[in-house]
Amino acid sequence: MIRDITIGQYYPVDSILHRMDPRLKLNGTLLFIISIFLFDTFYGYIAITMFMISIIKLSKVPFKFILRGLKAIVVILIFTMTFNLFLTQGDILIRLGFLKITKQGLHSSIFMGLRLSYLILGSSLMTFTTTPNQLTDGLERLLWPLRRIKVPVHEIAMMMSIALRFIPILLEETDKIMKAQMARGADFESGGVVKRAKGLVPLLVPLFVSAFRRANDLAMAMEARCYRGGEGRTKMKPLHYSRRDMVAYIILLSYFALVIIISIYEKYLPYFSL
Amino acid sequence: MEMIKVEDLAFEYIRRNEEGDVESINRAIDGVSLDVKKGDFIAIIGANGSGKSTLAKHINAILYPSEGTVWVNGMNTLKEENLWEIRRSAGMVFQNPDNQIIATVVEEDVGFGPENLGVPTDEIWERVEKSLKAVGMLEYRNQSPNKLSGGQKQRVAIAGIMAMKPECIVLDEPTAMLDPDGRKEVISTVRLLNQHEKITVLLITHHMDEVINADKVFVMEHGKIVMQGSPREIFSRIPEIKKYRLDVPQVTELAYELRNAGVDIPEGILSADELVQALENLGA
């Protein structure tokens, strides 16, 4: 199950999208998400779909791999679609006993399904093409103005990147503790939910103890290397917008403008409805 | 001039109960004085709990003396305004290689120190390249630290210190968690830095074979320095070393036993080659 979740993974290939500035990709994703939630018209979604397909093509990430990300939300997807389908009031199309499908229900069910899938596809496309480091750097720079209202932006970014560094180490450690406890007769597999949850205690306690010890060591090592917060720090890899990024911003904004124009003037286009 | 000067240093770990009353006092360091000259390779050895790691943390101003004074490069560690300059000039490498690497890419980790110091971007790149070259890890610069061996990780950690252009490196049992190959890698890297870059080295260890090439060895026990001298002087006093729960390199012990049995060879033999030479001279 955990292996199915591709959201948040990085897919290492070399593409235009991979080389773009992380800030651009973050802003782009935000704009894309706004565009899928703002409009629910047929022509609007044609434009959105075309845009997404061309971005996926540019990213060089295999389409099958991207689709795997949807697996994780399949349950949520089915739930929302069914509820929307049967519980929306309006003009009745089909009646199945006490259940009824309305025209409006069909419409909102389909668009809800599309929205959720596009949301996952769009945001996972960003993480596929951006390394965790670039992502935290981008976030730090984008959120920088929030420092004015006392948000510890640098600290948050630093915590994120340290967490990313320690995920594989802690996974390995979990595995090690699990084996050690199994060798002592611990049982992680049988029994009901309560028994299994209780079984996790001998795993979690040592894991937490060791995580705190690591945190302590790391803090000392960072201080020994003169770390004293974000003040007066320079960057080894500072972010710079290139001309390519500027062109991409223009494309992005024209896409957004196009979607807005379509949604305003849709009533003049040939009518199409489900 | 002295790189490090320690005078009558004492340090107490104080345990308090919930009311804040003192429960017990553990005097981890008890009246230690030592001088380290610039460019020296110094080894401090001692069994577990002898206070050697506590001493090391004083040199990087992670711990402050309860009594006595520590000067690093002429700066008193008790003065707050010296703190960052002391930490820059006396870099510290710790025992656990995983818990001291901060970034997810090797070169970015090496750049972490200079970033903290506010070094301009171009110079950071220069320093990173130079430091990685000095420890022989340049070809791994774009790798994830998780994919490296223990010895390689320690070399990256040393490079991270070197990038801050220190005058002195303190290594706190850098080989304790490594396999024999990793240990050799790290120790030869440190020796190279000492000889070529003239970096003062303070190596803390309990592996006796790592101290053979040191300029001076200090033996610690119960927070005190109990022996000091060149490796040869130290290793010619085998019964004393054993009393302090330390191992003696095999060759040294063999030579010692041979001498006791009446074979006429010099005291304090440190390597197999030396012993062979001594025995050949005997036959001649």
Side-chain angles (χ1 to χ4, degrees), chain A residues 227-242:
Chain A
Y227 180 71
R228 55 198 126 161
E231 292 301 316
R233 241 177 142 242
T234 44
K235 285 260 172 201
M236 181 179 176
K237 296 175 177 171
L239 295 174
H240 289 300
Y241 279 127
S242 63

Side-chain angles (χ1 to χ4, degrees), chain A residues 140 144 152-162 215 217-235, chain B residues 60-62 83-88 94 100 102-103 108-109 111-118 160-161 164:
Chain A
E140 185 176 355
W144 203 236
V153 178
H154 167 78
E155 283 76 6
I156 292 171
M158 180 57 84
M159 278 190 264
M160 268 177 67
S161 65
I162 289 173
D217 279 6
L218 190 72
M220 191 153 54
M222 285 170 76
E223 283 203 344
R225 280 161 78 181
C226 293
Y227 180 71
R228 55 198 126 161
E231 292 301 316
R233 241 177 142 242
T234 44
K235 285 260 172 201
Chain B
N60 197 258
I62 292 171
L83 181 65
W84 302 109
E85 185 52 24
I86 286 173
R87 288 191 178 159
R88 186 202 62 77
F94 296 88
Q100 55 184 322
I102 291 112
E108 283 177 21
D109 187 72
F112 180 75
E115 281 183 336
N116 290 335
L117 296 173
I161 302 296
M164 296 167 69

Side-chain angles (χ1 to χ4, degrees), chain A residues 12-243:
Chain A
V13 284
D14 189 31
S15 76
I16 302 177
L17 223 60
H18 282 74
R19 271 176 273 142
M20 276 175 184
D21 192 287
R23 286 171 291 175
L24 165 72
K25 284 184 267 189
L26 278 163
N27 284 332
T29 312
L30 196 68
L31 218 57
F32 179 71
I33 290 173
I34 292 173
S35 75
I36 59 177
F37 275 90
L38 230 46
F39 312 109
D40 64 344
T41 59
F42 178 75
Y43 287 105
Y45 259 77
I46 289 181
I48 291 171
T49 311
M50 300 252 289
F51 179 71
M52 201 175 72
I53 287 172
S54 42
I55 295 288
I56 289 174
K57 277 268 167 275
L58 278 180
S59 77
K60 291 188 185 164
V61 182
F63 191 58
K64 263 191 186 162
F65 187 81
I66 297 176
L67 277 187
R68 278 223 315 246
L70 286 180
K71 260 194 193 166
I73 60 149
V74 134
V75 181
I76 306 171
L77 211 57
I78 291 172
F79 259 99
T80 30
M81 286 185 76
T82 340
F83 276 110
N84 269 301
L85 191 59
F86 291 114
L87 297 177
T88 315
Q89 302 296 323
D91 313 330
I92 291 160
L93 285 178
I94 311 164
R95 197 183 277 279
L96 299 160
F98 67 96
L99 294 172
K100 55 186 184 329
I101 296 174
T102 62
K103 200 172 134 190
Q104 285 81 353
L106 193 62
H107 179 92
S108 70
S109 162
I110 286 174
F111 276 104
M112 255 315 170
L114 279 179
R115 262 181 200 158
L116 279 178
S117 328
Y118 282 18
L119 177 70
I120 297 295
L121 293 182
S123 47
S124 52
L125 201 58
M126 175 185 69
T127 58
F128 287 150
T129 58
T130 320
T131 61
N133 281 354
Q134 287 180 319
L135 210 61
T136 42
D137 273 1
L139 247 132
E140 185 176 355
R141 280 289 291 275
L142 282 180
L143 298 180
W144 203 236
L146 290 184
R147 253 177 350 143
R148 293 251 169 100
I149 52 167
K150 299 250 153 76
V151 178
V153 178
H154 167 78
E155 283 76 6
I156 292 171
M158 180 57 84
M159 278 190 264
M160 268 177 67
S161 65
I162 289 173
L164 288 166
R165 147 114 179 88
F166 276 87
I167 286 171
I169 293 174
L170 288 179
L171 277 180
E172 202 178 293
E173 186 134 302
T174 314
D175 199 48
K176 224 187 272 172
I177 297 172
M178 210 157 173
K179 280 185 185 135
Q181 299 291 41
M182 266 149 70
R184 291 175 175 81
D187 182 5
F188 295 109
E189 259 125 49
S190 66
V193 180
V194 179
K195 191 165 176 254
R196 276 199 198 193
K198 270 189 184 163
L200 283 182
V201 172
L203 176 67
L204 290 179
V205 171
L207 190 63
F208 268 88
V209 170
S210 113
F212 279 119
R213 189 167 298 149
R214 278 181 196 283
N216 197 17
D217 279 6
L218 190 72
M220 191 153 54
M222 285 170 76
E223 283 203 344
R225 280 161 78 181
C226 293
Y227 180 71
R228 55 198 126 161
E231 292 301 316
R233 241 177 142 242
T234 44
K235 285 260 172 201
M236 181 179 176
K237 296 175 177 171
L239 295 174
H240 289 300
Y241 279 127
S242 63
R243 180 170 298 176

Side-chain angles (χ1 to χ4, degrees), chain A residues 260-269:
Chain A
I260 293 175
I261 290 168
I262 287 175
S263 69
I264 292 174
Y265 290 99
E266 172 154 64
K267 50 182 180 269
Y268 302 115
L269 291 167

Side-chain angles (χ1 to χ4, degrees), chain B residues 206-220:
Chain B
H206 58 246
H207 291 297
M208 297 295 271
D209 42 350
E210 289 171 7
V211 310
I212 289 169
N213 291 290
D215 295 316
K216 198 168 180 187
V217 181
F218 294 91
V219 180
M220 280 189 80

